[in-house]
Structure formats: structure tokens, C-alpha cells
Amino acid sequence: EAGVVQSPRYKIIEKKQPVAFWCNPISGHNTLYWYLQNLGQGPELLIRYENEEAVDDSQLPKDRFSAERLKGVDSTLKIQPAELGDSAVYLCASSRGTGSFNEQFFGPGTRLTVL
Amino acid sequence: AQSVTQLDSQVPVFEEAPVELRCNYSSSVSVYLFWYVQYPNQGLQLLLKYLSGSTLVKGINGFEAEFNKSQTSFHLRKPSVHISDTAEYFCAVTSNRDDKIIFGKGTRLHILP
């Protein structure tokens, strides 16, 4: 089966510009996660979806970040406007079940550089 | 609140030598524990997980980990490493009362020829 697909793989933008990331989870996985991974750190959850509902967005900086998962499949994460500190890898993951004990399958990530 | 500490940011080891990557956790409730591996320019991949039962858990690629409740540890071991094991390894914790998984900062494994 195909893995989690993310695009683009790399993105370079100037500060104050908008940027969007796209994720296609594994077919049949109803739970989708967006993580932020700073250099030398582990992934940190930004938002978790169960189907099309955002069930945990407590760590999403809502002044500049937004996300959507229309129809409970693909998802997009947007930053507007981007700041220098947003430079990081943005990871998307999916799992079949809703419990935190379920294995999460990760995409390769989008490496964002803000100049 | 739960937390996880990976005591070593980098571990160098000679090829075919054994390795142990250390992980300690903090939690007031029963935990589920994971080790994920991240190869260069790839996403994370599950190596193994402890949910319940036997405290010695075997995973993919010859790795195993032992859950030690009294020491709140979940160290990862491999008896003989290969150059292909070069990667970053993340320990993670969650519980049945939490929907969020907490990752450690990672340990970079360097295999020396």
C-alpha cells in the first residue's frame, strides 16, 4: 500500500509570505496528524483530526496557522504570514484507529526555510 | 503530564558492536511506550512498542527494548549494529488517558567503520 504522501518536499519563502503544505494519508486511515519538527528535536503535535473533525488543535498557533481536512481524507496546513521562526520540518502522519496507542505512519515531511 | 527523556543526543558505535539507546519517562498513570526510527530525509517509522504483557519487546531490524517500571525506563538495544542502522531514534510515551503521544528529542546513532 502507498505510504503517507506530502508535498512539496522543500519550500523556501521570504518572511511574511503565505505557504501551504499538503498531505494525503494512507487509504482507510481516519486519524491524521500534523507535527512540527525543529532541528535536533522530536516531533511536536500541531493538530489531530479524526475524520474531518479537528479533535486537538490546542498547540496550533491560530493567529497564523490554519488547517483543514475536507471530506476526511487529504489535509492542508497553511501559514500566513510566515515568520523566520517557522523554519522547520512539517510532518504529516496517519493511523487507522483513534487511540494514541495505534501505530502512526509518517510522511517524509516538508522542509520549510523562511528567509 | 507525561514526559520522556533521551539521555544521549548522539551515540557513536563501531560496526558489529552492541548498542543501547537510553530512554526514561515520567508519568502518573500506566503508559504505552514506543521507539521510532528516522532515516535521513525520511519520515519516522515504528521500530517497536510496549502496550502491556511481556516487558521485553522485540521489533524490526533486530532491535529490542525492555520496559522497566521501577526505573521508569524503556532502553533500546541491538546486539550487533550495521552501517544501515545510521539514523535518529525517538522514544515516545502516551497512556490510555491521553490522546497525545510525546516524543523525546532523539538520539543520533553514528556507526563507525
Side-chain angles (χ1 to χ4, degrees):
Chain A
E1 77 186 344
V4 176
V5 179
Q6 290 187 249
S7 69
R9 289 294 312 276
Y10 304 90
K11 188 73 176 180
I12 301 174
I13 61 172
E14 293 191 348
K15 63 181 180 181
K16 300 184 182 180
Q17 294 300 305
V19 64
F21 314 125
W22 176 80
C23 173
N24 180 239
I26 292 173
S27 178
H29 283 195
N30 58 328
T31 305
L32 184 146
Y33 311 79
W34 282 104
Y35 287 92
L36 167 69
Q37 186 177 22
N38 285 305
L39 189 64
Q41 303 291 320
E44 298 173 32
L45 182 69
L46 288 172
I47 189 168
R48 176 170 64 94
Y49 283 93
E50 290 180 10
N51 299 306
E52 65 274 12
E53 182 182 0
V55 295
D56 184 357
D57 63 357
S58 58
Q59 301 302 308
L60 190 72
K62 298 181 183 64
D63 58 335
R64 297 184 300 108
F65 286 65
S66 65
E68 61 181 12
R69 190 184 185 198
L70 300 176
K71 300 182 180 179
V73 182
D74 294 2
S75 177
T76 56
L77 178 68
K78 299 177 182 178
I79 308 175
Q80 183 171 13
E83 297 179 352
L84 294 177
D86 296 331
S87 294
V89 176
Y90 292 82
L91 295 168
C92 179
S94 69
S95 66
R96 184 172 296 278
T98 58
S100 58
F101 53 85
N102 287 294
E103 178 180 0
Q104 294 184 29
F105 294 80
F106 285 79
T110 296
R111 183 176 297 276
L112 174 66
T113 301
V114 182
L115 303 176
Chain B
Q2 296 161 99
S3 66
V4 59
T5 302
Q6 292 185 244
L7 298 168
D8 305 297
S9 59
Q10 296 188 61
V11 172
V13 61
F14 286 103
E15 196 169 11
E16 298 184 8
V19 68
E20 178 180 84
L21 305 183
R22 297 181 293 170
C23 172
N24 287 89
Y25 68 92
S26 174
S27 177
S28 58
V29 298
S30 296
V31 296
Y32 304 132
L33 294 156
F34 307 80
W35 276 99
Y36 279 83
V37 60
Q38 186 174 31
Y39 297 105
N41 297 316
Q42 295 186 29
L44 281 72
Q45 177 185 358
L46 182 68
L47 271 179
L48 50 79
K49 62 182 178 181
Y50 171 79
L51 301 183
S52 65
S54 174
T55 57
L56 183 63
V57 181
K58 294 189 182 297
I60 62 171
N61 301 339
F63 284 93
E64 64 180 33
E66 186 157 18
F67 170 58
N68 188 319
K69 188 175 181 179
S70 63
Q71 297 188 7
T72 61
S73 68
F74 190 55
H75 301 333
L76 181 69
R77 301 185 183 98
K78 186 170 182 177
S80 175
V81 296
H82 302 283
I83 196 74
S84 59
D85 293 322
T86 298
E88 187 133 24
Y89 293 79
F90 293 94
C91 183
V93 64
T94 187
S95 76
N96 60 2
R97 298 188 186 183
D98 198 341
D99 292 328
K100 188 178 299 183
I101 186 170
I102 306 298
F103 287 89
K105 293 185 176 182
T107 297
R108 187 169 298 275
L109 180 60
H110 291 283
I111 308 300
L112 306 172

